[in-house]
Amino acid sequence: MAEQTKGTILSGMRPTGPLHLGNLAGALANWVALQEDYHCYYEIADLHALTDRTDTSAIRGDRLEILLDWLAAGLDPERSVLFVQSEVPEHALLDTLLGMFVPVSWLERVPTYKEKVRELGLDESASFGLLGYPVLQAVDIMIYRATAVPVGEDQLPHLELTREIARRFNHLFGEVFLEPQALLTETPRLPGLDGRKMSKSYENAVYLKDSAAEVEKKVQTMFTDPKRVYRRDPGHPDECNVYLYRRVFDAVNADEVYEDCQAAGIGCTDCKLALARAINEHLEPLRERRVALASQPDRLHEVLDDGARRARETAGRTYQAAYEAVQLSRRK
Ligand code: TRP
Ligand code: SF4
């Protein structure tokens, strides 16, 4: 693709622990593929991680863990800019500037804000930063002039707000920002081993860094078709979490599994063994890269130093344009 026709992507993840198969299938695999066709900025959103906690002790380590997972999965620091949000201070500067022009009522209406307040019981104690979460996210996107943002459905309200903020600023001060498009990730959300949402706190996740033996053990605990009690009973793959996983990680065999399951041609134990094997085949190259990278901590720091430097170049230019647009620059 010719340089000038390439669009720009920005996306981010909060460093809240090791990445799991849901993160891989729902986001990371897509991020890796997007590197072919776009200029990509991928951000470790550590400031966003501060919006719902006061215990900050894990964030430093989690940032490096997430970078290891990213590199192991195939994000390429030669092509993409991989950086830590708090190391690009222009984000905080633009956040302050934009915050002046975003009505509080817009932020109070955001569903993720209301959910967080309810979930954490924050009635009176929700922070300024939590309310401002979508402004900072809009900054992340707009400061790199991203044309597209790969997100899951849960992030759509944030993206819509980003577009509204860009529009409002441009209307007030002239065209500085782009209105980014959402690139909806097509894979449906991968449920956890027990069928609930995949989450660290439910202990129902397979992690990219799990060993082959751990994967096998975890897959054996998966829930299957509840109506299939005996081996001779025909199964209902559409109601089976194992089948859903096989469709994602063992696509070539999925149709056959569907038939065999309905005809009671395979047993659930064998079906799970095959799934564990397929997942391990997927993860093996990641594990190898992860082990190699984990032995070179200096290399990880170099990647992030370089990422912050490259990110600041673009972010600085956009911030300067916004600063001039609101007529704060001393020399015209
Ligand atoms: N809010 C996103 C999440 O929790 C993380 C994020 C921060 C992000 N900044 C972003 C995603 C910018 C897309 C674009 O998943
Ligand atoms: Fe699920 Fe496989 Fe058992 Fe069918 S055979 S119910 S798809 S685990």
Side-chain angles (χ1 to χ4, degrees):
M1 204 181 248
E3 278 296 298
Q4 63 271 34
T5 60
K6 272 190 173 185
T8 302
I9 291 275
L10 175 122
S11 202
M13 289 187 195
R14 302 189 312 145
T16 55
L19 298 186
H20 52 56
L21 287 182
N23 302 126
L24 180 67
L28 193 49
N30 189 32
W31 289 15
V32 172
L34 288 168
Q35 296 182 116
E36 301 293 327
D37 297 326
Y38 292 88
H39 295 293
C40 298
Y41 291 85
Y42 294 123
E43 166 193 275
I44 300 175
D46 58 346
L47 294 174
H48 277 119
L50 297 177
T51 56
D52 63 358
R53 77 201 60 204
T54 49
D55 179 357
T56 61
S57 56
I59 294 178
R60 192 208 313 250
D62 283 344
R63 283 189 314 216
L64 290 182
E65 281 289 319
I66 214 173
L67 179 67
L68 269 176
D69 281 331
W70 283 6
L71 296 172
L75 290 192
D76 173 4
E78 301 289 321
R79 284 188 288 172
S80 302
V81 181
L82 313 180
F83 69 99
V84 170
Q85 184 183 35
S86 69
E87 293 176 355
V88 183
E90 288 79 5
H91 286 239
L93 296 173
L94 188 58
D95 187 54
T96 301
L97 201 60
L98 288 187
M100 303 304 166
F101 311 109
V102 178
V104 171
S105 63
W106 288 11
L107 301 173
E108 284 169 338
R109 274 201 302 267
V110 174
T112 43
Y113 174 69
K114 290 193 269 189
E115 274 159 34
K116 261 276 145 60
V117 170
R118 204 176 323 119
E119 187 189 308
L120 302 174
L122 294 174
D123 306 310
E124 295 293 313
S125 60
S127 71
F128 181 52
L130 183 66
L131 183 65
Y133 188 118
V135 180
L136 185 59
Q137 183 162 342
V139 166
D140 296 344
I141 297 165
M142 286 158 43
I143 208 164
Y144 300 103
R145 302 179 179 285
T147 51
V149 183
V151 285
E153 250 181 69
D154 58 323
Q155 292 293 316
L156 281 181
H158 286 164
L159 211 75
E160 194 41 51
L161 197 69
T162 300
R163 297 164 55 83
E164 279 165 25
I165 292 173
R167 230 176 283 144
R168 181 167 164 80
F169 186 97
N170 290 346
H171 172 71
L172 292 169
F173 303 111
E175 294 289 319
V176 172
F177 296 114
L178 298 179
E179 283 182 44
Q181 301 295 321
L183 272 187
L184 252 195
T185 312
E186 278 164 30
T187 18
R189 192 190 276 276
L190 191 72
L193 297 167
D194 55 5
R196 291 187 293 171
K197 181 179 171 215
M198 191 181 285
S199 155
K200 196 169 51 169
S201 47
Y202 292 155
E203 293 185 20
N204 63 359
V206 173
Y207 295 102
L208 306 191
K209 66 177 198 177
D210 281 348
S211 69
E214 277 169 314
V215 169
E216 249 174 61
K217 210 165 94 197
K218 285 183 176 180
V219 168
Q220 286 307 326
T221 70
M222 283 181 78
F223 292 16
T224 61
D225 170 12
K227 292 198 215 114
R228 191 175 188 207
V229 183
Y230 299 107
R231 169 71 177 75
R232 63 171 185 275
D233 295 342
H236 306 81
D238 289 321
E239 288 156 51
C240 177
N241 206 15
V242 175
Y243 174 69
L244 198 159
Y245 269 63
R246 288 197 72 173
R247 247 179 30 212
V248 176
F249 294 102
D250 194 13
V252 284
N253 293 316
D255 287 346
E256 196 181 325
V257 172
Y258 197 88
E259 304 283 313
D260 284 354
C261 172
Q262 284 182 320
I266 40 166
C268 295
T269 309
D270 287 340
C271 191
K272 287 178 178 177
L273 276 176
L275 172 62
R277 225 178 295 126
I279 293 175
N280 278 329
E281 257 172 49
H282 253 79
L283 293 185
E284 198 44 44
L286 277 75
R287 281 187 200 117
E288 280 170 19
R289 282 197 289 267
R290 202 176 205 287
V291 170
L293 287 159
S295 66
Q296 320 167 46
D298 288 350
R299 171 83 189 114
L300 299 181
H301 289 295
E302 276 165 28
V303 165
L304 293 179
D305 288 345
D306 184 55
R309 190 185 50 72
R310 287 153 73 195
R312 288 196 70 178
E313 278 175 21
T314 314
R317 274 198 300 276
T318 311
Y319 177 69
Q320 194 54 39
Y323 190 73
E324 281 168 23
V326 297
Q327 306 189 46
L328 290 185
S329 50
R330 195 148 40 77
R331 293 195 177 80
K332 277 202 204 162

